[in-house]
Amino acid sequence: MKRFLAAAALALLPGFGFSETPCCATGDLGLIIERATGSLLVVDRSDRAAIGRVEGLGDLSHASMTYSPDERFAYVFGRDGGLTKVDMLTHEIVARTIQAGNSIGGAISDDGKLVAVSNYTPGGVKVFDADTLALVADIPAPGKTIGLADLPGRRFIWAVWDSGEAYLGDFSGAEPVITNLGHIGKNPFDAVVTDDAHTYLIGLFGEKGVTAIDLWDDTPKPTRFLNDYGKDKEDMPVYKMPHLQGWAFTEGQFVLPAVGQYDLLWVNRETLEQVATTPVHGQPVFIIAQPASPYVWVNFATPRNGVVQVVDSRTHQVVKTLEPGKAVLHMEFAPRGAEVWVSVRDENKIVIYDTRTFEKKAEIAAQAPSGIFFTARAHQPGL
Amino acid sequence: MKRFLAAAALALLPGFGFSETPCCATGDLGLIIERATGSLLVVDRSDRAAIGRVEGLGDLSHASMTYSPDERFAYVFGRDGGLTKVDMLTHEIVARTIQAGNSIGGAISDDGKLVAVSNYTPGGVKVFDADTLALVADIPAPGKTIGLADLPGRRFIWAVWDSGEAYLGDFSGAEPVITNLGHIGKNPFDAVVTDDAHTYLIGLFGEKGVTAIDLWDDTPKPTRFLNDYGKDKEDMPVYKMPHLQGWAFTEGQFVLPAVGQYDLLWVNRETLEQVATTPVHGQPVFIIAQPASPYVWVNFATPRNGVVQVVDSRTHQVVKTLEPGKAVLHMEFAPRGAEVWVSVRDENKIVIYDTRTFEKKAEIAAQAPSGIFFTARAHQPGL
């Protein structure tokens, strides 16, 4: 009887017209950004199927998102400054605010209570109540903020393009405590927290080199390394700035995209010395570690963006080249690593590969798909 | 109107009498084993609250569990050979089978389709359909199986106490393919897969040393290291065999409990050489890395089991000693590291600490609690 009631109750829930199966657990769901239409495709990872679509998210031409700890809500950061809260159960927008003129990304506090957004126009970081999207803090900055990431204990870290400084914001008390971590170099363009939240890595546009900040230190300070980083062998145009969120961490190494070059750079995590270079198909955009494996997967900037390569972090050799289709924009792994989902924008599809056999397991139709975000990200620091 | 319908529908769902808030997303839920009563306490991590209880699971005096990829179902492995499937949404048992006389643990395949159980009586590994719990494979073994873990691509690995051999089982094809990985040493008592699924580490009872198998190798082979491991300085009784699932992996190191001693042993992950020893309060049982931090937390065997210690993996020094209460049996971290839940069996409670301030944030009543399992485990290889 109880079982029957549950089934009857679920049948009343809205938003399930897309799929045969009503979905109530949220651990294997995901959202795919449909950039041209300002919509999100809701997917079920286990079924390898689309189960819904959410529309009306504005300009998603450069969008990212983060999930609440219960994996129920997604917070989508749009190019137009829109912050949109989406319910993964009903496939509906539950709150939306245009909080700035141009936003670049955001993060959620580890307890799920606060959502922070880093803005270009105007600069600074705005912090919102994750429940209502009411503004709870407006942290000014001397310019555009980049590389915003969460740290444990209701904290965030970010950098400022114009002033070349990094800041740590602690929101665990009654009032925010903002600490200037010092000068990190000229025009930081992106930054990322390593998987163990040990190091904040900052890429620079205005000068050579990479800056690291040890987040486990009591008084975190910037350190410079890889002092040739960013230098072009030839005067090649950079078709797309690589995403530093794509830096992979594997086998005691960081893997960085060489800016403007057809190379991956491998850096020893302990010594911060470069240990190897891997020539690849094009200018790397995302370099993503395949979980539970020695491999990283790489996609490339236009016009060489129809290819994905797989590189072994032990030998630094390319072990596989795949051609998923025209304009591969993003890759997302099943959290335990057995398959990878690849968005192929110009063929309006997602292609799913088995990571052991490289066989194509399924395709899903999507409208000009870009970023793929599985709910498992809710449990990872710095994502 | 749609919103109203959803609320009305949720109100009909059974099993929510325990809590004010109906729960539908499953990313921040967990189960706590109540060993004396054969029951499970259902908890909401965000609310720091118990929201339900599931009864009738038989003998849970030495139990573990694993979660389906959608974080909807838990599979509980009981001491009495019982395999029980629990619905996290309704807090009900949906399937249960007594599949052996004495089982020691189990794992779920990365795609969530198969649940494998390692058994003592009789020995061997049984594999079940995760949906129905119907038996799909019965793999005999020359004795008791231990250390069963999942690997990507619908594979499992395990070892056999009596024959001292390890096996890899591939269930991705029509028929299982079982590979004998060779002799690993006398009487393996437990084994664990590292967080990157690179290495299978096996503890030996019948002789000194630890065995490692490189799971990324095309032909994985056993390698011996730490050849003094297991040797007692004095003839101390071992009050409880340490759990190898408690081996922590941090800062390029493994951390092992010294069998029978009041010590932690630190081993370099690359060289497999011991690099340090940390004297601690008692015989270590679980050594668990706090996510996004340099710290490991340790609990201890009876009679010194009222204490938890925090050790810095950089300095190998104890940095904090806490006294949560009588008989601390287990610790589980919020997946992004900001708090830890500690089960205190003889005081019938769970104590929750802030990992930065060490302040007690909450207590939850529980009946003789032991293992704490958050649903975020669904996304981690080898758990």
Side-chain angles (χ1 to χ4, degrees), chain A residues 60-101:
Chain A
L60 295 185
S61 62
H62 192 283
S64 70
M65 72 180 72
T66 191
Y67 287 100
S68 62
D70 63 358
E71 298 177 323
R72 171 153 186 185
F73 298 106
Y75 299 89
V76 184
F77 311 102
R79 175 40 81 65
D80 57 2
L83 167 62
T84 310
K85 180 177 178 180
V86 172
D87 188 333
M88 300 299 292
L89 293 172
T90 62
H91 308 168
E92 290 178 329
I93 292 173
V94 290
R96 178 168 160 80
T97 175
I98 302 295
Q99 55 84 41

mmCIF file of all heavy atoms in Angstrom, chain A residues 60-101:
data_model
loop_
_atom_site.group_PDB
_atom_site.id
_atom_site.type_symbol
_atom_site.label_atom_id
_atom_site.label_comp_id
_atom_site.label_asym_id
_atom_site.label_seq_id
_atom_site.Cartn_x
_atom_site.Cartn_y
_atom_site.Cartn_z
ATOM 1 N N LEU A 60 23.813 32.050 -22.583
ATOM 2 C CA LEU A 60 24.655 30.973 -22.037
ATOM 3 C C LEU A 60 25.872 30.731 -22.931
ATOM 4 O O LEU A 60 26.421 29.641 -22.973
ATOM 5 C CB LEU A 60 23.846 29.678 -21.884
ATOM 6 C CG LEU A 60 22.698 29.705 -20.870
ATOM 7 C CD1 LEU A 60 22.067 28.313 -20.751
ATOM 8 C CD2 LEU A 60 23.179 30.158 -19.497
ATOM 9 N N SER A 61 26.315 31.773 -23.640
ATOM 10 C CA SER A 61 27.411 31.568 -24.586
ATOM 11 C C SER A 61 28.736 31.283 -23.868
ATOM 12 O O SER A 61 29.671 30.766 -24.463
ATOM 13 C CB SER A 61 27.559 32.778 -25.504
ATOM 14 O OG SER A 61 27.869 33.930 -24.752
ATOM 15 N N HIS A 62 28.833 31.620 -22.590
ATOM 16 C CA HIS A 62 30.008 31.244 -21.797
ATOM 17 C C HIS A 62 29.503 31.029 -20.388
ATOM 18 O O HIS A 62 29.512 31.938 -19.553
ATOM 19 C CB HIS A 62 31.066 32.343 -21.845
ATOM 20 C CG HIS A 62 32.393 31.913 -21.304
ATOM 21 N ND1 HIS A 62 32.651 31.802 -19.961
ATOM 22 C CD2 HIS A 62 33.536 31.552 -21.934
ATOM 23 C CE1 HIS A 62 33.906 31.401 -19.803
ATOM 24 N NE2 HIS A 62 34.462 31.239 -20.974
ATOM 25 N N ALA A 63 29.040 29.817 -20.118
ATOM 26 C CA ALA A 63 28.332 29.578 -18.856
ATOM 27 C C ALA A 63 28.988 28.458 -18.074
ATOM 28 O O ALA A 63 29.658 27.591 -18.627
ATOM 29 C CB ALA A 63 26.881 29.220 -19.144
ATOM 30 N N SER A 64 28.800 28.506 -16.778
ATOM 31 C CA SER A 64 29.218 27.381 -15.943
ATOM 32 C C SER A 64 28.200 27.221 -14.831
ATOM 33 O O SER A 64 27.246 27.994 -14.734
ATOM 34 C CB SER A 64 30.620 27.608 -15.384
ATOM 35 O OG SER A 64 30.606 28.639 -14.423
ATOM 36 N N MET A 65 28.372 26.214 -13.992
ATOM 37 C CA MET A 65 27.388 25.994 -12.931
ATOM 38 C C MET A 65 28.003 25.206 -11.789
ATOM 39 O O MET A 65 29.103 24.656 -11.900
ATOM 40 C CB MET A 65 26.177 25.256 -13.478
ATOM 41 C CG MET A 65 26.422 23.804 -13.790
ATOM 42 S SD MET A 65 24.937 22.980 -14.434
ATOM 43 C CE MET A 65 24.810 23.686 -16.068
ATOM 44 N N THR A 66 27.270 25.192 -10.694
ATOM 45 C CA THR A 66 27.678 24.417 -9.530
ATOM 46 C C THR A 66 26.413 23.832 -8.892
ATOM 47 O O THR A 66 25.309 24.292 -9.188
ATOM 48 C CB THR A 66 28.473 25.326 -8.562
ATOM 49 O OG1 THR A 66 29.081 24.544 -7.563
ATOM 50 C CG2 THR A 66 27.576 26.372 -7.924
ATOM 51 N N TYR A 67 26.573 22.814 -8.064
ATOM 52 C CA TYR A 67 25.404 22.133 -7.502
ATOM 53 C C TYR A 67 25.344 22.255 -5.977
ATOM 54 O O TYR A 67 26.382 22.296 -5.308
ATOM 55 C CB TYR A 67 25.433 20.638 -7.848
ATOM 56 C CG TYR A 67 25.123 20.332 -9.283
ATOM 57 C CD1 TYR A 67 26.143 20.072 -10.192
ATOM 58 C CD2 TYR A 67 23.808 20.322 -9.742
ATOM 59 C CE1 TYR A 67 25.853 19.792 -11.528
ATOM 60 C CE2 TYR A 67 23.511 20.047 -11.068
ATOM 61 C CZ TYR A 67 24.542 19.775 -11.955
ATOM 62 O OH TYR A 67 24.260 19.500 -13.267
ATOM 63 N N SER A 68 24.135 22.230 -5.445
ATOM 64 C CA SER A 68 23.943 22.199 -3.994
ATOM 65 C C SER A 68 24.387 20.838 -3.439
ATOM 66 O O SER A 68 24.390 19.843 -4.167
ATOM 67 C CB SER A 68 22.474 22.458 -3.650
ATOM 68 O OG SER A 68 21.658 21.444 -4.203
ATOM 69 N N PRO A 69 24.766 20.786 -2.154
ATOM 70 C CA PRO A 69 25.279 19.531 -1.588
ATOM 71 C C PRO A 69 24.295 18.359 -1.669
ATOM 72 O O PRO A 69 24.717 17.213 -1.710
ATOM 73 C CB PRO A 69 25.555 19.891 -0.120
ATOM 74 C CG PRO A 69 25.751 21.363 -0.103
ATOM 75 C CD PRO A 69 24.855 21.903 -1.189
ATOM 76 N N ASP A 70 23.004 18.654 -1.680
ATOM 77 C CA ASP A 70 22.032 17.558 -1.790
ATOM 78 C C ASP A 70 21.790 17.169 -3.242
ATOM 79 O O ASP A 70 20.977 16.298 -3.517
ATOM 80 C CB ASP A 70 20.724 17.913 -1.073
ATOM 81 C CG ASP A 70 20.023 19.125 -1.694
ATOM 82 O OD1 ASP A 70 20.574 19.715 -2.650
ATOM 83 O OD2 ASP A 70 18.936 19.484 -1.220
ATOM 84 N N GLU A 71 22.496 17.807 -4.175
ATOM 85 C CA GLU A 71 22.371 17.527 -5.608
ATOM 86 C C GLU A 71 20.946 17.765 -6.114
ATOM 87 O O GLU A 71 20.511 17.146 -7.082
ATOM 88 C CB GLU A 71 22.826 16.089 -5.926
ATOM 89 C CG GLU A 71 24.300 15.865 -5.574
ATOM 90 C CD GLU A 71 24.781 14.454 -5.787
ATOM 91 O OE1 GLU A 71 24.008 13.522 -5.522
ATOM 92 O OE2 GLU A 71 25.927 14.269 -6.215
ATOM 93 N N ARG A 72 20.240 18.668 -5.446
ATOM 94 C CA ARG A 72 18.896 18.987 -5.927
ATOM 95 C C ARG A 72 18.891 20.209 -6.841
ATOM 96 O O ARG A 72 18.145 20.258 -7.804
ATOM 97 C CB ARG A 72 17.954 19.226 -4.748
ATOM 98 C CG ARG A 72 16.629 19.756 -5.217
ATOM 99 C CD ARG A 72 15.482 19.444 -4.338
ATOM 100 N NE ARG A 72 14.259 19.900 -4.988
ATOM 101 C CZ ARG A 72 13.064 19.868 -4.439
ATOM 102 N NH1 ARG A 72 12.924 19.382 -3.230
ATOM 103 N NH2 ARG A 72 11.999 20.301 -5.090
ATOM 104 N N PHE A 73 19.704 21.219 -6.494
ATOM 105 C CA PHE A 73 19.659 22.472 -7.245
ATOM 106 C C PHE A 73 20.961 22.744 -7.980
ATOM 107 O O PHE A 73 22.044 22.467 -7.468
ATOM 108 C CB PHE A 73 19.353 23.643 -6.301
ATOM 109 C CG PHE A 73 18.028 23.533 -5.617
ATOM 110 C CD1 PHE A 73 17.945 23.190 -4.271
ATOM 111 C CD2 PHE A 73 16.850 23.741 -6.328
ATOM 112 C CE1 PHE A 73 16.717 23.060 -3.639
ATOM 113 C CE2 PHE A 73 15.612 23.615 -5.701
ATOM 114 C CZ PHE A 73 15.549 23.269 -4.347
ATOM 115 N N ALA A 74 20.819 23.317 -9.178
ATOM 116 C CA ALA A 74 21.986 23.816 -9.918
ATOM 117 C C ALA A 74 21.929 25.333 -9.903
ATOM 118 O O ALA A 74 20.847 25.926 -9.975
ATOM 119 C CB ALA A 74 21.950 23.304 -11.350
ATOM 120 N N TYR A 75 23.100 25.959 -9.777
ATOM 121 C CA TYR A 75 23.226 27.412 -9.869
ATOM 122 C C TYR A 75 24.021 27.694 -11.135
ATOM 123 O O TYR A 75 25.184 27.287 -11.238
ATOM 124 C CB TYR A 75 23.932 27.963 -8.635
ATOM 125 C CG TYR A 75 23.161 27.671 -7.364
ATOM 126 C CD1 TYR A 75 23.372 26.487 -6.655
ATOM 127 C CD2 TYR A 75 22.186 28.557 -6.904
ATOM 128 C CE1 TYR A 75 22.642 26.197 -5.510
ATOM 129 C CE2 TYR A 75 21.451 28.274 -5.761
ATOM 130 C CZ TYR A 75 21.675 27.090 -5.069
ATOM 131 O OH TYR A 75 20.948 26.800 -3.949
ATOM 132 N N VAL A 76 23.372 28.367 -12.093
ATOM 133 C CA VAL A 76 23.972 28.556 -13.413
ATOM 134 C C VAL A 76 24.431 30.011 -13.548
ATOM 135 O O VAL A 76 23.659 30.937 -13.281
ATOM 136 C CB VAL A 76 22.955 28.196 -14.519
ATOM 137 C CG1 VAL A 76 23.605 28.307 -15.894
ATOM 138 C CG2 VAL A 76 22.405 26.792 -14.296
ATOM 139 N N PHE A 77 25.697 30.176 -13.933
ATOM 140 C CA PHE A 77 26.287 31.499 -14.086
ATOM 141 C C PHE A 77 26.374 31.819 -15.578
ATOM 142 O O PHE A 77 27.114 31.165 -16.304
ATOM 143 C CB PHE A 77 27.680 31.526 -13.452
ATOM 144 C CG PHE A 77 27.702 30.953 -12.059
ATOM 145 C CD1 PHE A 77 28.178 29.671 -11.826
ATOM 146 C CD2 PHE A 77 27.214 31.686 -10.987
ATOM 147 C CE1 PHE A 77 28.181 29.124 -10.549
ATOM 148 C CE2 PHE A 77 27.210 31.153 -9.700
ATOM 149 C CZ PHE A 77 27.689 29.869 -9.489
ATOM 150 N N GLY A 78 25.597 32.809 -16.032
ATOM 151 C CA GLY A 78 25.540 33.124 -17.457
ATOM 152 C C GLY A 78 26.411 34.311 -17.806
ATOM 153 O O GLY A 78 26.755 35.134 -16.956
ATOM 154 N N ARG A 79 26.773 34.405 -19.061
ATOM 155 C CA ARG A 79 27.583 35.487 -19.585
ATOM 156 C C ARG A 79 26.952 36.864 -19.331
ATOM 157 O O ARG A 79 27.637 37.856 -19.116
ATOM 158 C CB ARG A 79 27.767 35.232 -21.085
ATOM 159 C CG ARG A 79 28.464 36.216 -21.956
ATOM 160 C CD ARG A 79 29.655 36.896 -21.425
ATOM 161 N NE ARG A 79 30.937 36.266 -21.417
ATOM 162 C CZ ARG A 79 31.691 35.895 -22.446
ATOM 163 N NH1 ARG A 79 31.275 35.975 -23.657
ATOM 164 N NH2 ARG A 79 32.883 35.422 -22.273
ATOM 165 N N ASP A 80 25.611 36.901 -19.322
ATOM 166 C CA ASP A 80 24.897 38.172 -19.186
ATOM 167 C C ASP A 80 24.728 38.613 -17.726
ATOM 168 O O ASP A 80 23.952 39.526 -17.445
ATOM 169 C CB ASP A 80 23.522 38.060 -19.854
ATOM 170 C CG ASP A 80 22.692 36.908 -19.281
ATOM 171 O OD1 ASP A 80 23.166 36.222 -18.352
ATOM 172 O OD2 ASP A 80 21.572 36.683 -19.762
ATOM 173 N N GLY A 81 25.443 37.968 -16.802
ATOM 174 C CA GLY A 81 25.307 38.335 -15.393
ATOM 175 C C GLY A 81 24.132 37.661 -14.711
ATOM 176 O O GLY A 81 23.855 37.917 -13.540
ATOM 177 N N GLY A 82 23.452 36.800 -15.422
ATOM 178 C CA GLY A 82 22.321 36.086 -14.837
ATOM 179 C C GLY A 82 22.795 34.967 -13.916
ATOM 180 O O GLY A 82 23.711 34.215 -14.255
ATOM 181 N N LEU A 83 22.162 34.886 -12.738
ATOM 182 C CA LEU A 83 22.364 33.762 -11.823
ATOM 183 C C LEU A 83 21.022 33.062 -11.712
ATOM 184 O O LEU A 83 20.042 33.669 -11.283
ATOM 185 C CB LEU A 83 22.837 34.269 -10.459
ATOM 186 C CG LEU A 83 22.803 33.251 -9.306
ATOM 187 C CD1 LEU A 83 23.712 32.068 -9.579
ATOM 188 C CD2 LEU A 83 23.190 33.927 -7.983
ATOM 189 N N THR A 84 20.986 31.799 -12.120
ATOM 190 C CA THR A 84 19.722 31.079 -12.195
ATOM 191 C C THR A 84 19.794 29.809 -11.366
ATOM 192 O O THR A 84 20.755 29.049 -11.470
ATOM 193 C CB THR A 84 19.400 30.705 -13.659
ATOM 194 O OG1 THR A 84 19.540 31.859 -14.482
ATOM 195 C CG2 THR A 84 17.992 30.149 -13.786
ATOM 196 N N LYS A 85 18.778 29.601 -10.537
ATOM 197 C CA LYS A 85 18.691 28.394 -9.705
ATOM 198 C C LYS A 85 17.679 27.444 -10.330
ATOM 199 O O LYS A 85 16.521 27.812 -10.555
ATOM 200 C CB LYS A 85 18.264 28.786 -8.290
ATOM 201 C CG LYS A 85 18.139 27.628 -7.318
ATOM 202 C CD LYS A 85 17.780 28.128 -5.916
ATOM 203 C CE LYS A 85 17.616 26.972 -4.951
ATOM 204 N NZ LYS A 85 17.270 27.433 -3.589
ATOM 205 N N VAL A 86 18.128 26.226 -10.609
ATOM 206 C CA VAL A 86 17.299 25.246 -11.322
ATOM 207 C C VAL A 86 17.060 24.038 -10.429
ATOM 208 O O VAL A 86 17.986 23.543 -9.781
ATOM 209 C CB VAL A 86 18.005 24.806 -12.629
ATOM 210 C CG1 VAL A 86 17.268 23.662 -13.299
ATOM 211 C CG2 VAL A 86 18.160 25.987 -13.579
ATOM 212 N N ASP A 87 15.823 23.562 -10.395
ATOM 213 C CA ASP A 87 15.455 22.387 -9.599
ATOM 214 C C ASP A 87 15.627 21.138 -10.462
ATOM 215 O O ASP A 87 14.974 20.992 -11.497
ATOM 216 C CB ASP A 87 13.998 22.534 -9.140
ATOM 217 C CG ASP A 87 13.591 21.467 -8.142
ATOM 218 O OD1 ASP A 87 14.175 20.353 -8.165
ATOM 219 O OD2 ASP A 87 12.679 21.729 -7.337
ATOM 220 N N MET A 88 16.514 20.224 -10.032
ATOM 221 C CA MET A 88 16.790 19.012 -10.806
ATOM 222 C C MET A 88 15.621 18.024 -10.765
ATOM 223 O O MET A 88 15.574 17.089 -11.569
ATOM 224 C CB MET A 88 18.045 18.313 -10.278
ATOM 225 C CG MET A 88 19.309 19.145 -10.337
ATOM 226 S SD MET A 88 19.756 19.624 -12.027
ATOM 227 C CE MET A 88 20.212 18.031 -12.727
ATOM 228 N N LEU A 89 14.714 18.184 -9.815
ATOM 229 C CA LEU A 89 13.584 17.260 -9.714
ATOM 230 C C LEU A 89 12.432 17.664 -10.617
ATOM 231 O O LEU A 89 11.812 16.825 -11.268
ATOM 232 C CB LEU A 89 13.097 17.181 -8.269
ATOM 233 C CG LEU A 89 14.065 16.547 -7.274
ATOM 234 C CD1 LEU A 89 13.539 16.704 -5.854
ATOM 235 C CD2 LEU A 89 14.291 15.082 -7.605
ATOM 236 N N THR A 90 12.145 18.967 -10.663
ATOM 237 C CA THR A 90 10.990 19.428 -11.447
ATOM 238 C C THR A 90 11.404 19.986 -12.808
ATOM 239 O O THR A 90 10.553 20.265 -13.649
ATOM 240 C CB THR A 90 10.244 20.539 -10.697
ATOM 241 O OG1 THR A 90 11.131 21.662 -10.530
ATOM 242 C CG2 THR A 90 9.789 20.062 -9.326
ATOM 243 N N HIS A 91 12.724 20.176 -13.007
ATOM 244 C CA HIS A 91 13.241 20.757 -14.253
ATOM 245 C C HIS A 91 12.701 22.170 -14.470
ATOM 246 O O HIS A 91 12.377 22.550 -15.589
ATOM 247 C CB HIS A 91 12.916 19.867 -15.462
ATOM 248 C CG HIS A 91 13.331 18.442 -15.274
ATOM 249 N ND1 HIS A 91 12.924 17.430 -16.104
ATOM 250 C CD2 HIS A 91 14.101 17.848 -14.331
ATOM 251 C CE1 HIS A 91 13.438 16.277 -15.682
ATOM 252 N NE2 HIS A 91 14.143 16.506 -14.610
ATOM 253 N N GLU A 92 12.607 22.921 -13.394
ATOM 254 C CA GLU A 92 12.093 24.287 -13.469
ATOM 255 C C GLU A 92 13.080 25.276 -12.865
ATOM 256 O O GLU A 92 13.839 24.927 -11.958
ATOM 257 C CB GLU A 92 10.773 24.398 -12.702
ATOM 258 C CG GLU A 92 9.628 23.676 -13.379
ATOM 259 C CD GLU A 92 8.350 23.764 -12.555
ATOM 260 O OE1 GLU A 92 8.442 23.835 -11.313
ATOM 261 O OE2 GLU A 92 7.271 23.745 -13.165
ATOM 262 N N ILE A 93 13.004 26.515 -13.352
ATOM 263 C CA ILE A 93 13.735 27.607 -12.725
ATOM 264 C C ILE A 93 12.984 27.994 -11.456
ATOM 265 O O ILE A 93 11.787 28.271 -11.500
ATOM 266 C CB ILE A 93 13.840 28.812 -13.685
ATOM 267 C CG1 ILE A 93 14.747 28.444 -14.878
ATOM 268 C CG2 ILE A 93 14.379 30.043 -12.956
ATOM 269 C CD1 ILE A 93 14.778 29.493 -15.974
ATOM 270 N N VAL A 94 13.689 27.996 -10.317
ATOM 271 C CA VAL A 94 13.018 28.373 -9.062
ATOM 272 C C VAL A 94 13.421 29.771 -8.616
ATOM 273 O O VAL A 94 12.746 30.372 -7.780
ATOM 274 C CB VAL A 94 13.271 27.349 -7.931
ATOM 275 C CG1 VAL A 94 12.543 26.054 -8.237
ATOM 276 C CG2 VAL A 94 14.757 27.079 -7.721
ATOM 277 N N ALA A 95 14.517 30.303 -9.144
ATOM 278 C CA ALA A 95 14.888 31.686 -8.830
ATOM 279 C C ALA A 95 15.867 32.153 -9.897
ATOM 280 O O ALA A 95 16.634 31.359 -10.452
ATOM 281 C CB ALA A 95 15.529 31.780 -7.447
ATOM 282 N N ARG A 96 15.813 33.442 -10.197
ATOM 283 C CA ARG A 96 16.739 33.989 -11.196
ATOM 284 C C ARG A 96 16.945 35.470 -10.923
ATOM 285 O O ARG A 96 16.008 36.190 -10.606
ATOM 286 C CB ARG A 96 16.167 33.771 -12.602
ATOM 287 C CG ARG A 96 17.046 34.341 -13.719
ATOM 288 C CD ARG A 96 16.584 33.837 -15.094
ATOM 289 N NE ARG A 96 17.058 34.694 -16.165
ATOM 290 C CZ ARG A 96 18.297 34.650 -16.689
ATOM 291 N NH1 ARG A 96 19.165 33.766 -16.234
ATOM 292 N NH2 ARG A 96 18.657 35.480 -17.638
ATOM 293 N N THR A 97 18.219 35.918 -11.002
ATOM 294 C CA THR A 97 18.518 37.327 -10.809
ATOM 295 C C THR A 97 19.591 37.744 -11.805
ATOM 296 O O THR A 97 20.510 36.974 -12.083
ATOM 297 C CB THR A 97 18.969 37.607 -9.349
ATOM 298 O OG1 THR A 97 19.362 38.972 -9.243
ATOM 299 C CG2 THR A 97 20.147 36.740 -8.933
ATOM 300 N N ILE A 98 19.421 38.933 -12.383
ATOM 301 C CA ILE A 98 20.503 39.503 -13.200
ATOM 302 C C ILE A 98 21.332 40.330 -12.237
ATOM 303 O O ILE A 98 20.949 41.439 -11.851
ATOM 304 C CB ILE A 98 19.951 40.372 -14.342
ATOM 305 C CG1 ILE A 98 19.017 39.562 -15.238
ATOM 306 C CG2 ILE A 98 21.100 40.958 -15.167
ATOM 307 C CD1 ILE A 98 19.674 38.430 -16.001
ATOM 308 N N GLN A 99 22.455 39.759 -11.794
ATOM 309 C CA GLN A 99 23.172 40.330 -10.659
ATOM 310 C C GLN A 99 24.355 41.192 -11.082
ATOM 311 O O GLN A 99 24.975 41.833 -10.243
ATOM 312 C CB GLN A 99 23.586 39.215 -9.703
ATOM 313 C CG GLN A 99 24.394 38.083 -10.315
ATOM 314 C CD GLN A 99 25.863 38.386 -10.396
ATOM 315 O OE1 GLN A 99 26.419 38.955 -9.473
ATOM 316 N NE2 GLN A 99 26.474 38.044 -11.524
ATOM 317 N N ALA A 100 24.655 41.219 -12.363
ATOM 318 C CA ALA A 100 25.760 42.035 -12.845
ATOM 319 C C ALA A 100 25.616 42.159 -14.359
ATOM 320 O O ALA A 100 24.711 41.550 -14.958
ATOM 321 C CB ALA A 100 27.100 41.395 -12.492
ATOM 322 N N GLY A 101 26.508 42.941 -14.972
ATOM 323 C CA GLY A 101 26.441 43.108 -16.420
ATOM 324 C C GLY A 101 27.131 41.997 -17.184
ATOM 325 O O GLY A 101 26.767 41.687 -18.311
#
